[in-house]
């Protein structure tokens, strides 16, 4: 019996600047009013998440942290549906005025969109 583990261990995170740079060079993009997600295929057998919530866009640390928690939680729940991609999540200013439910729905659409686009490119 294969039980899915819904954790977020360090191997599912982008940590080094070189890993982020790889995603920013030639990404597959997905955008809406709340988020912009960039993705590229990786050589691992699991997806990885990076967060780039700019202080210039989202001024308060409390708000940035809330958006990061929302993105991490959404990724944690969707990780088994994703292919082997590296994803960087960037927030937009409108994300501050959105409810947590709207943000979760937005991210769910982005995960599906990125999987479809990355599969078609590779």
């Amino acid at each position: 019996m294969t039980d899915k583990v819904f954790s977020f261990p360090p191997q599912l995170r982008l940590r080094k600047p070189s890993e982020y740079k790889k995603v920013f060079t030639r990404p597959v993009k997905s955008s809406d009013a709340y988020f912009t997600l960039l993705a590229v295929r990786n050589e691992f057998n699991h997806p990885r998440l990076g967060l780039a919530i700019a202080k210039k866009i989202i001024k308060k640390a409390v708000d940035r942290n809330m958006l990061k928690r929302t993105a991490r939680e959404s990724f944690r729940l969707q990780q088994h549906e994703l292919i082997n991609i590296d994803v960087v999540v960037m927030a937009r200013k409108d994300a501050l005025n959105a409810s947590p439910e709207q943000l979760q729905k937005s991210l769910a659409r982005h995960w599906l969109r990125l999987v479809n686009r990355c599969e078609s490119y590779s």
Side-chain angles (χ1 to χ4, degrees):
M1 192 166 163
T2 58
D3 291 328
K4 293 181 181 179
V5 178
F6 292 99
S7 62
F8 189 56
Q11 64 263 24
L12 294 182
R13 303 175 193 160
L14 296 178
R15 290 177 281 179
K16 300 177 185 172
S18 61
E19 295 170 340
Y20 278 89
K21 191 173 186 176
K22 194 174 172 184
V23 176
F24 283 111
T25 53
R26 294 186 53 93
V28 174
K29 295 181 183 180
S30 177
S31 292
D32 68 2
Y34 308 124
F35 296 102
T36 297
L37 274 68
L38 308 175
V40 294
R41 293 293 293 254
N42 68 29
E43 61 276 357
F44 304 104
N45 61 353
H46 54 79
R48 299 188 305 169
L49 176 68
L51 299 167
I53 311 297
K55 196 184 286 188
K56 187 175 184 179
I57 307 289
I58 310 296
K59 303 285 186 207
K60 294 182 180 179
V62 171
D63 296 330
R64 288 194 303 277
N65 291 336
M66 181 271 302
L67 292 171
K68 289 180 199 178
R69 280 193 303 273
T70 302
R72 272 192 227 109
E73 180 67 7
S74 178
F75 177 82
R76 187 183 71 80
L77 295 173
Q78 296 288 326
Q79 66 185 332
H80 299 292
E81 312 304 322
L82 300 175
I83 57 175
N84 56 332
I85 55 176
D86 289 343
V87 181
V88 173
V89 176
M90 298 184 296
R92 296 180 145 200
K93 201 150 188 82
D94 289 345
L96 283 176
N97 303 324
S99 70
E101 293 81 23
Q102 287 175 310
L103 296 176
Q104 287 290 348
K105 286 179 185 176
S106 170
L107 286 166
R109 283 192 302 270
H110 284 300
W111 302 132
L112 182 63
R113 198 178 302 156
L114 286 175
V115 166
N116 292 335
R117 288 182 183 173
C118 284
E119 280 181 337
S120 65
Y121 279 107
S122 298

